[in-house]
Amino acid sequence: MQRMNREDMAARVARDIPEGAYVNLGIGLPTKVANFLPQEREIFLQSENGLLGMGPAPAEDDIDWELINAGKQPVTLLAGGSFFHHGDSFSMMRGGHIDICVLGAFQVSVNGDLANWHTGAADAIPAVGGAMDLAVGAKQVFVMMDLLTKGGESKLVAQCSYPLTGLSCVSRVYTDVAIFDVGPAGAHVIEMVPGLTIDQLRDMTGVDLQLALEIA
Amino acid sequence: MQRMNREDMAARVARDIPEGAYVNLGIGLPTKVANFLPQEREIFLQSENGLLGMGPAPAEDDIDWELINAGKQPVTLLAGGSFFHHGDSFSMMRGGHIDICVLGAFQVSVNGDLANWHTGAADAIPAVGGAMDLAVGAKQVFVMMDLLTKGGESKLVAQCSYPLTGLSCVSRVYTDVAIFDVGPAGAHVIEMVPGLTIDQLRDMTGVDLQLALEIA
Amino acid sequence: MIDKISPSLRQAVADLHDGASIMISGFGDAGAPHELMDAVIEHGATDLTIISNNAGAGETGIAALIKANRVRKVICSFPRQAASHHFDARYRAGQVELELVPQGNLAARIQAAGSGLGAIYTPTGYGTLLAEGKETREIDGRNYVLEYPIHADFALIKARAGDRWGNLVYRKVARNFGPIMAMAAKTTIAQVAEVVELGALDPEAVVTPGIFVNRLVQVAPLSVAAAA
Amino acid sequence: MIDKISPSLRQAVADLHDGASIMISGFGDAGAPHELMDAVIEHGATDLTIISNNAGAGETGIAALIKANRVRKVICSFPRQAASHHFDARYRAGQVELELVPQGNLAARIQAAGSGLGAIYTPTGYGTLLAEGKETREIDGRNYVLEYPIHADFALIKARAGDRWGNLVYRKVARNFGPIMAMAAKTTIAQVAEVVELGALDPEAVVTPGIFVNRLVQVAPLSVAAAA
C-alpha cells in the first residue's frame, strides 16, 4: 500500500473542483489545493477575511500585508477579484453561495459530523475562527486529513469524541489512503490507494464501510 | 388667531434641526423643510432609496431619473454625499443612526402613537412604504400636520382610531396652530400662534394638554 | 473560461418557469430592469410571485406582467401609486394576492435570505396591522416582531456595468434593491448598460461580487432617458 | 461647518471611559488601528471589554492593552495565536474573561446591532459547545441558534482615506470588520492614512458613509510596513 503524501492529496482534491466553482480553502493542508488547480479551469477562491478571486503568493518584493489570506499569508488578487467586509464575506458562506469548502479535521463521523476546532483538552485555550461558519455554510464540505492519528487511531469515526464544529456537514473525506463519501447513508469508499483492500480499511477504521457503486 | 401656512410650518421645523443632524424628510409636506434649512448649518439629508447628502432640486436640464428622492422627485447630491443599497439604507434608519425624521400624519396620540399609512377604509389598497421603518427607527420623530381635519376633528388624539404606523414613536408635533411634545408624560404645548389660548386649544383638540414649563 | 454574459435577453431568461418567485429591483423607475421584464413577458412564464418595492405603474414592467395576467402574488411595500391601475384592478378583483411588507423589513428579510439567517427580530411594524398574528418578543425592553427570510428563484436586477465574472457596479440610486436581491435568489440575472473587461472594475468599488450573479446581459442604456 | 477630523490621537480618544466596550477592527495586522490603540493605552481607560476577531499578538495593540491590565473581557473568534502570550497568561490566570464567538456569528451579531435587529437565528454553531444553553429553533427543516446583537460604546477602526464628513474608503483586506463595527458602536473613531477634500471620494465607492463615523484622525501609513 502506497500512502499519498500531502501534495498527492492536494492534487487529488483539486481534480474534483469543477470550473466555475466558488471555493474556500481552509488554513493548513487545504491551502495547498490552490497549487494544483488546473490552469485551464477558472475557479474562484474566496478568503473569509474579505476577498474573492484570490491569486497565488506574490514575489517577495510584492508582498502587501494588507493583501493576505485567512491564514495570514501574503496572496495576490486576480483581475476580476474584489474586496468586501466581514459581514458580506460570511454572508457568502452562511448564505450558501460557496460551492466547496475544504477543511482539515481532527475527526469526521460516518454521517458527516465534523470536529476540527478543539481537542477538548482541559487546559486548551479555545479558538474557533471561521471553522463553524465554513462547516455549516458551504454547499459541499470536503475534509482533507490523514486517515490515522500518529497513535494509529482512525480519524474517521462512528461518532466524534472531540467537540463538534458542525453536525452532518461533511460530504466527502480525502485521506492519505482512501476517499470516502459520508452522510446520512453512512460512509462509502469511493477510492483506495493501490494495494489496499476494503477489509484492511475496515480494520484500520473500525467503522462500518460500504464500497461505492462505482468501484464495488 | 393667525394659523401658520405650510411654508411657515416648514420654516418652524427647520429652525429646530441642529447643525450636523442626520435627517430624513418624509414625502409631502415634510419635504418642504429642506427649503428652509439655514444655509450656515451643515445638515445631512438622507433619502431611504439610497442616498445621504441630498441637495436641492436640479435645474431642468440636469434632471437625472436615477437621482431621485423617496418621493420620486429629482434631486442632487452634495459633495461628500454617497450612495448605498436598500439594506444599508434601512440599517441607518432601524439602527438608530438617523437623528430626526419628519413625517406627515393622519393622527398622533398624546403618548406618541402614530397613524399615517392607512385610513382603515375597507376598499383602500394598503401601501406602507418606509413609514413604519422611519417611525420606529429615527432617534426623534417629528410630525407635521394641520391640527384639525377639514371636518374640524382634531388629529392630535387621546388614542388613534386609524391603523397605527408605530407605537410611542413621535416626540414632537408641529401643527398650524401649536407645537406639542408628546410621549409617556402626555401632550405638552410648547408653542402657540399669537391669539390662541390653552383653553381654546383644549377645546379644539378635546385631549388633556399641559403647558410646557418654558411657556407656562 | 467562465463567461456569464448572455448573448440575448431571451437567452438570459430562458430557464424561467411557471410558478417561479422573482425579485425585481427598482424604486420607481430607477433601477427597474425594464428590458428583462419585457423578456419575461415574451418568455410566457406565468403564475409568478413578484417581490419588489412596488407593484408596477403605467403600462410597462411589473404593471405589464400583471396586465398580462402572469402574476399570482405580489410581495411589496408600496403597491398603490398614481398609475398602478393594473395592479389595483386585479387586486380588487381578487386575481392578485398581496403581501404588504414595510420597506425596511422587505430589505431585511431579503438580506436574511441572502446571508443564511433563519429568522430575525425586527422592531418595525410591532403593534400594527402588519404584525397581526406574528410572533413577537421583548428584548432588552424593546418589542420586536419575528420575520422570516424572503428567498426567490430568480432576481432580475439592473446595474451600470459588469464583467464576465458577474461583478457589478450600479449608478446612483438605481442601486437600491439590486445588491441585496442578487444575494437572495437562486439565479440572479443582471441587465447592464456596459460590459467591461475583467479587471476594469476597481476591486475596492465592486458593489456586487460575481459570486452573487449568474448571468448578465447588455442592454442599451435607454430606460432612464425613456423614463424622463 | 461639520468637521469630524480630530487634531490628534489623544483628542480622538479623550472621551473613553473605564468600563467601556470597544470594538477594534483588524484581521491579524491588516486593518488593526495600532495608533488608536496606543492612544487608548496612553489615555489610561481600564476595565475594558474588547470586541475583535483576535485577542492580540506580540507586544502591541490588543496584546499591549491586555499586558497593561486594562482588559476585563474579550469577545472574539480566535484568541489563540503564535504570539498571543499576553492573552494566554491573563486568561489562564483568570484575569481576563473570554466570550468565544464563531467569526461569522461575530460579524452577524455586530451587523444586527448596527441595523437595529433584536436578535437573529443563525445556523452556525448549532449542536456545538458554543451554542450550549442557547435557545434554538428548527425553521424549514434546519436548526438555528438564537444570537443577540453585540453593541459597543466605541469602535476603533482603520481606513485608507476619509473626509471631514466621516466618509471612509478602505484598503484591500484591511477593510474586514471596519465597516460593520462603524455601524454598531455609539461612537466610531477611524484612523486614516489620508484626509481628503469633501467630494474627493467617489460617492459610488464610499464604503462607510459619514453617518457611521464620529471622528477621524490622520496617522502616517506606517503600520503596514512595520508589520512586514
Side-chain angles (χ1 to χ4, degrees), chain C residues 85-96:
Chain C
H85 43 271
H86 288 303
F87 171 82
D88 298 359
R90 295 268 183 204
Y91 175 74
R92 289 190 201 280
Q95 293 168 338
V96 173

Side-chain angles (χ1 to χ4, degrees), chain A residues 48-51 63-72 83-88 90-91 94 117-118 123-130 132-133 136-137 163-167, chain D residues 27-28 30 54 77-81 88 91-92 100-105 108 111 122-130 142 158 171-177 179-180 224 228:
Chain A
E48 65 264 34
N49 56 321
L51 74 163
I63 286 176
D64 179 343
W65 291 100
E66 291 186 340
L67 184 48
I68 57 175
N69 64 15
K72 290 163 193 165
F83 299 110
F84 34 83
H85 64 55
H86 247 77
D88 283 346
F90 280 84
S91 289
R94 196 191 312 107
W117 73 283
H118 196 322
D123 68 335
I125 293 179
V128 65
M132 290 183 179
D133 306 278
V136 88
L164 292 180
T165 306
L167 275 67
Chain D
F27 184 92
N54 304 108
S77 88
F78 209 81
R80 191 187 58 221
Q81 294 189 85
D88 298 359
Y91 175 73
R92 288 189 202 281
L100 190 70
V101 182
Q103 197 169 150
N105 282 357
Q111 288 187 291
T122 168
T124 302
Y126 178 82
T128 75
L129 280 180
L130 298 187
R142 198 167 187 206
K158 180 180 174 176
R171 185 169 178 278
K172 302 188 179 180
V173 299
R175 185 183 305 197
N176 58 68
F177 282 93
I180 62 174
V224 175

Side-chain angles (χ1 to χ4, degrees), chain B:
Chain B
M1 175 177 78
Q2 174 78 48
R3 287 177 200 272
M4 287 198 284
N5 64 24
R6 296 163 73 86
E7 279 64 34
D8 293 340
M9 288 169 68
R12 182 61 194 82
V13 172
R15 253 174 57 199
D16 285 355
I17 298 180
E19 176 151 77
Y22 289 91
V23 179
N24 182 295
L25 300 175
I27 296 173
L29 180 52
T31 301
K32 280 193 192 293
V33 172
N35 303 334
F36 296 94
L37 294 173
Q39 290 295 328
E40 69 276 13
R41 288 186 209 159
E42 278 192 339
I43 288 165
F44 306 106
L45 297 182
Q46 193 248 23
S47 188
E48 66 264 33
N49 56 321
L51 75 162
L52 183 66
M54 185 165 61
E60 191 70 33
D61 285 353
D62 295 332
I63 286 176
D64 180 343
W65 291 100
E66 290 186 341
L67 185 49
I68 56 174
N69 64 15
K72 290 162 191 166
Q73 301 162 314
V75 295
T76 50
L77 189 77
L78 302 178
S82 57
F83 299 110
F84 34 82
H85 63 55
H86 247 78
D88 283 346
S89 183
F90 279 84
S91 289
M92 283 182 195
M93 189 65 58
R94 197 191 311 107
H97 305 283
I98 300 287
D99 296 303
I100 297 170
C101 173
V102 186
L103 296 172
F106 298 144
Q107 291 178 324
V108 178
S109 76
V110 292
N111 74 331
D113 292 351
L114 171 67
N116 78 345
W117 74 284
H118 196 322
T119 59
D123 68 335
I125 294 179
V128 65
M132 290 184 178
D133 307 278
L134 297 168
V136 88
K139 283 184 203 149
Q140 291 187 80
V141 174
F142 292 173
V143 160
M144 286 175 78
M145 62 182 192
D146 287 334
L147 181 61
L148 303 181
T149 65
K150 281 172 191 158
E153 284 171 42
S154 176
K155 296 164 78 173
L156 180 68
V157 294
Q159 205 151 18
C160 295
S161 56
Y162 285 145
L164 291 181
T165 306
L167 275 66
S168 309
C169 55
V170 179
S171 52
R172 183 168 285 189
V173 182
Y174 295 83
T175 74
D176 51 341
V177 296
I179 304 174
F180 309 85
D181 276 345
V182 295
H188 287 71
V189 181
I190 61 169
E191 255 178 58
M192 290 181 283
V193 293
L196 183 66
T197 68
I198 180 79
D199 287 334
Q200 287 174 309
L201 204 49
R202 284 181 179 129
D203 280 349
M204 288 168 77
T205 59
V207 300
D208 192 27
L209 292 176
Q210 304 297 318
L211 271 183
L213 282 183
E214 308 92 276
I215 66 166

Side-chain angles (χ1 to χ4, degrees), chain D residues 87-165:
Chain D
F87 172 81
D88 298 359
R90 295 268 183 203
Y91 175 73
R92 288 189 202 281
Q95 293 166 337
V96 173
E97 194 184 332
L98 171 66
E99 181 180 345
L100 190 70
V101 182
Q103 197 169 150
N105 282 357
L106 186 62
R109 292 173 63 188
I110 290 169
Q111 288 187 291
S115 57
L117 300 179
I120 55 174
Y121 283 101
T122 168
T124 302
Y126 178 82
T128 75
L129 280 180
L130 298 187
E132 264 186 359
K134 296 190 173 184
E135 196 175 327
T136 62
R137 184 184 294 225
E138 187 179 325
I139 300 169
D140 274 342
R142 198 167 187 206
N143 291 300
Y144 296 88
V145 183
L146 184 67
E147 294 281 1
Y148 293 93
I150 299 176
H151 294 270
D153 296 315
F154 294 89
L156 307 183
I157 66 172
K158 180 180 174 176
R160 184 182 72 68
D163 63 29
R164 67 177 174 84
W165 280 6

Side-chain angles (χ1 to χ4, degrees), chain D residues 1 19 25-26 29-30 37 46 58 65 85 87 92 94 99-101 114 118 122 138 150 181 195 200 204 209:
Chain D
M1 192 181 98
S25 66
D29 270 325
M37 287 190 276
T46 190
L65 280 166
H85 43 271
F87 172 81
R92 288 189 202 281
E99 181 180 345
L100 190 70
V101 182
T122 168
E138 187 179 325
I150 299 176
M181 288 179 168
V195 170
E204 303 279 6

